[in-house]
Amino acid sequence: MAELVQDELSALAAIFCGPHEWEVLSRSETNRTVVKIHTKAEGLEGAHVPLELVFHLPFSYPLCLPGISVHSQHLTRAQREAVKGKLLEQAAKLVSEPMVHELVLWVQQHLRHILHPPETPGDSGRCPSPPSTTGDDRLWMTLLHLDHMRAKARYIRTVEKWAADLRLTGRLMFLGVPDSSENLESRCGLKWKEMQRKND
């Protein structure tokens, strides 16, 4: 098995021979080998996205799945996790044979589909909603109550960032302070109906 891995590493070094394309981060005869590959893949709208793929090859590789890490400054954390998940799904189909090069080729060809899944009929023109984790797609509301904050402006920026990242919409209210509510609009431009509460 070690000879098979050695042959694969030699082949990868020959394929990814450009500057900084290939690097062996660590190697152990008894533990595992960690390699890093820099590549590019076609993302949304044809833009090339630089990717850094790190493969952790355990001692029993390729009879078991490698560990995979995906890094890119051009992708969000959620997108990186989606790419990693799809790579692991693909790797499961290739168990028992050298797979690193196949996985790199696969992500180069499929990145744009991972970042922008195909629309279902009737969804064109609408912003995609995040998948439901509860099985309940009805409108829901969450109230976050904070008793104390030190910097209001910093607090507002943080909550706006969270709302944009999670595609949430709503209203930020400071109870007891007149005319102090702030709109939070999602990147899709949707608005919730404003909720008002009368101070007694």
Side-chain angles (χ1 to χ4, degrees), residues 75-138:
L75 301 178
T76 65
R77 181 176 181 178
Q79 289 172 326
R80 294 192 303 269
E81 287 298 316
V83 172
K84 175 183 172 180
K86 292 294 184 182
L87 280 171
L88 288 172
E89 286 178 18
Q90 191 65 21
K93 302 174 186 176
L94 302 171
V95 170
S96 80
E97 59 185 83
M99 65 182 78
V100 172
H101 185 239
E102 290 294 323
L103 294 175
V104 174
L105 290 177
W106 187 87
V107 78
Q108 288 173 338
Q109 296 167 0
H110 294 88
L111 180 65
R112 70 179 185 275
H113 302 298
I114 299 170
L115 300 181
H116 187 66
E119 292 181 355
T120 56
D123 279 351
S124 59
R126 288 175 24 197
C127 294
S129 58
S132 172
T133 57
T134 63
D136 185 359
D137 291 332
R138 293 176 297 176

Side-chain angles (χ1 to χ4, degrees), residues 9-10 13 16 34 45-46 51 53 59 62 71 73 84 89 94 102 112 116 135 153 155 168-169 173 179 199:
L9 295 178
S10 299
F16 300 102
V34 181
E45 301 176 1
L51 292 174
L53 305 173
F59 182 71
H71 306 278
Q73 294 181 348
K84 175 183 172 180
E89 286 178 18
L94 302 171
E102 290 294 323
R112 70 179 185 275
H116 187 66
Y155 166 77
L168 299 177
T169 57
M173 295 183 288
D179 299 324
N199 291 328

Side-chain angles (χ1 to χ4, degrees), residues 143-146 149 172-178 180-181 195-199:
L143 177 64
L144 175 64
H145 179 110
L146 299 175
M149 76 176 94
L172 180 62
M173 295 183 288
F174 299 90
L175 297 179
V177 182
S180 62
S181 61
M195 303 292 295
Q196 295 182 349
R197 175 175 174 178
K198 295 181 180 177
N199 291 328

Side-chain angles (χ1 to χ4, degrees), residues 159-170:
V159 173
E160 285 175 341
K161 182 181 183 317
W162 290 346
D165 289 347
L166 297 172
R167 294 183 180 159
L168 299 177
T169 57

Side-chain angles (χ1 to χ4, degrees), residues 35-90:
V35 298
K36 179 165 60 174
I37 295 174
H38 290 272
T39 187
K40 290 184 179 180
E42 184 180 342
L44 299 176
E45 301 176 1
H48 283 82
V49 177
L51 292 174
E52 180 183 283
L53 305 173
V54 179
F55 295 91
H56 304 260
L57 310 178
F59 182 71
S60 54
Y61 171 85
L63 295 177
C64 64
L65 295 178
I68 301 175
S69 301
V70 179
H71 306 278
S72 176
Q73 294 181 348
H74 299 268
L75 301 178
T76 65
R77 181 176 181 178
Q79 289 172 326
R80 294 192 303 269
E81 287 298 316
V83 172
K84 175 183 172 180
K86 292 294 184 182
L87 280 171
L88 288 172
E89 286 178 18
Q90 191 65 21

